[in-house]
Amino acid sequence: MNASPRPRLPTDPSAPPLLRRSHRLHRLLPTALALLLGAPLLAAVHHARPAPYGDRLTVHARVAPAVEPRLRMRGAAVEAYGSRGGSVHWTYARAGRRPLAVLPARGDAIALWDDGLVTATDATGVRWHRALPAAADWLAAHGGAGVLRMLDPGTRMLAVVTPHRVAAYRLADGDLRWVLPARRGCAFAPARAVHRGGAILIAQPCLAADSWSGEIVAVDALGPIAPRRTPLGNEWQGGRQGGRQGEHHSAEHPHTGNLVARPR
């Protein structure tokens, strides 16, 4: 007696195309279901992740971009509020931190925090963060008086003055443009700085100073004021369509005792 012919499997090349497609679909179905069921879980995990640096920005009222709100520190937060009625536009706080100083700049709030972080914030979000090396202990003891300084009338450049160094950042993107370290045996005094024209005179008391002029440093947007210095080219090349774009960082190299960003 002849045995009955074996049924052809769907993977058989000679099987009808419909059976082959059905078999492939059967194999892919568990993977597709897993992806569909996992998508909401992945989205929930993404939203549950803590914000970088503990950022908590709450927008209370939408205003025109041309309106520059006033700024104040209230409790552990920075608030932007309107000049009429005092209604709060937005509030920015960082988990477990408190602001020590806040400075308005072209609609941004430049804030100094007790852990040595400097932030730039507007109603659209926290645009950049910059950390100050080895500054947290000194800030805890002395506060933030005089640490944040504008370097030019157009508020394009920000100076951050700490005892060990003066650092300049471009406000458009937070790019570090130059760094001036304090002389050996000396320390900058942020609270003892004054604006003179387009420059800032910063006290730099030393343990053993040869003359009083050695205890004063003059800086502007291009760095320490000195004869025959090389311009840095601090203009931002990013453009501002639809708001500010991402952050860009320049290379640095030593130059007459300072760290200077490469011209561009």
Side-chain angles (χ1 to χ4, degrees):
M1 183 174 60
N2 294 332
S4 59
R6 296 176 60 187
R8 289 179 297 182
L9 296 176
T11 55
D12 190 341
S14 62
L18 181 61
L19 288 178
R20 292 201 303 269
R21 288 196 296 269
S22 176
H23 182 69
R24 287 196 296 267
L25 179 62
H26 179 74
R27 287 186 302 173
L28 294 175
L29 187 59
T31 303
L33 289 175
L35 291 175
L36 289 174
L37 294 175
L41 179 61
L42 291 175
V45 171
H46 175 77
H47 289 293
R49 291 185 305 174
Y53 306 100
D55 291 340
R56 296 175 179 175
L57 177 66
T58 304
V59 178
H60 303 280
R62 297 290 181 181
V63 296
V67 177
E68 293 196 7
R70 298 182 179 181
L71 302 173
R72 64 191 172 199
M73 294 183 295
R74 175 172 290 185
V78 174
E79 286 186 350
Y81 63 98
S83 57
R84 295 182 180 180
S87 60
V88 178
H89 294 175
W90 53 262
T91 303
Y92 171 46
R94 295 181 55 229
R97 300 301 176 186
R98 64 184 181 90
L100 301 178
V102 61
L103 192 65
R106 282 186 169 182
D108 289 339
I110 309 299
L112 172 67
W113 299 83
D114 60 356
D115 60 346
L117 203 69
V118 177
T119 60
T121 311
D122 60 16
T124 64
V126 186
R127 300 198 299 105
W128 49 260
H129 307 74
R130 295 294 177 265
L132 306 182
D137 293 340
W138 180 84
L139 290 171
H142 297 86
V147 174
L148 303 179
R149 301 274 182 173
M150 288 303 174
L151 275 168
D152 57 19
T155 64
R156 294 172 301 173
M157 297 285 292
L158 169 75
V160 180
V161 186
T162 58
H164 300 296
R165 71 176 197 164
V166 181
Y169 299 90
R170 188 166 51 203
L171 289 174
D173 56 355
D175 193 37
L176 178 64
R177 303 308 297 155
W178 54 262
V179 178
L180 174 64
R183 292 170 50 195
R184 185 183 300 273
C186 307
F188 294 114
R192 296 169 56 189
V194 294
H195 287 264
R196 285 293 181 269
I200 302 177
L201 304 180
I202 306 172
Q204 185 185 220
C206 304
L207 296 177
D210 297 332
S211 64
W212 66 269
S213 60
E215 296 189 344
I216 298 178
V217 174
V219 299
D220 62 9
L222 300 180
I225 298 176
R228 297 180 301 278
R229 64 181 179 178
T230 303
L232 300 181
N234 289 325
E235 293 297 333
W236 188 43
Q237 305 299 321
R240 300 173 70 90
Q241 291 124 355
R244 303 171 182 90
Q245 298 181 358
E247 299 174 359
H248 307 279
H249 302 276
S250 299
E252 301 167 23
H253 60 85
H255 178 69
T256 63
N258 310 323
L259 295 177
V260 183
R262 179 176 300 170
R264 63 189 180 111

